Amino acid sequence: MKVVVIDGQGGKIGKAIVDAVMKLSKDVELVAIGTNSFATTAMIKAGAQYAATGENPVLVSAQDADIIVGPVGIIAANSLMGEVTPKMALAISESKAEKILIPVTKCKITVAGVAPMPMNDYVEAAIKHLIESIG
């Protein structure tokens, strides 16, 4: 199973997800993609097996991913302070992979019906869902 974790900014969300997956199972092919080098470095420090930075790794990895995990902004062009390009958002959105998205209000995207919680609680909920999806 190929899990692609995409994060930007400082990579805190991606780092937490990578850390949880690496503790859970070494059988998962985990690819960490940062929209910038800081995010990529954070995910490498968490134990990502494969890592890359930028638009093209997102375009390539989204094609055959089974699961894509990241902040909700990864499916919105020009979000994360412009780090997500329109091509990246389209590749992720069109991917046949299951998408596990974490609500982040900094992206100016509100998911109606989602209760306000601390970011750590959203990340924990995403990790729980990811673990269930990995099986």
Side-chain angles (χ1 to χ4, degrees), residues 9-131:
Q9 307 288 282
K12 289 177 85 173
I13 292 172
K15 180 180 178 182
I17 294 166
V18 168
D19 184 53
V21 172
M22 295 311 296
K23 287 177 182 173
L24 168 75
S25 173
K26 301 288 184 192
D27 294 332
V28 173
E29 179 186 1
L30 192 136
V31 179
I33 303 174
T35 59
N36 64 60
S37 61
F38 295 111
T40 305
T41 299
M43 292 186 281
I44 290 170
K45 287 180 181 177
Q49 301 152 311
Y50 307 101
T53 303
E55 181 180 78
N56 202 57
V58 171
L59 304 182
V60 172
S61 294
Q63 293 176 12
D64 64 348
D66 295 302
I67 301 173
I68 298 173
V69 187
V72 69
I74 64 174
I75 60 167
N78 303 312
S79 66
L80 301 180
M81 295 181 63
E83 292 180 17
V84 177
T85 68
K87 286 182 182 179
M88 292 163 76
L90 183 63
I92 295 164
S93 297
E94 288 184 338
S95 173
K96 293 182 189 275
E98 176 184 359
K99 290 134 192 108
I100 301 174
L101 303 174
I102 299 164
V104 178
T105 57
K106 289 182 183 177
C107 297
K108 297 195 178 191
I109 298 171
T110 301
V111 180
V114 174
M117 297 188 296
M119 181 55 61
N120 288 343
D121 291 349
Y122 285 131
V123 172
E124 287 300 318
I127 291 168
K128 182 180 177 189
H129 185 84
L130 176 59
I131 289 168

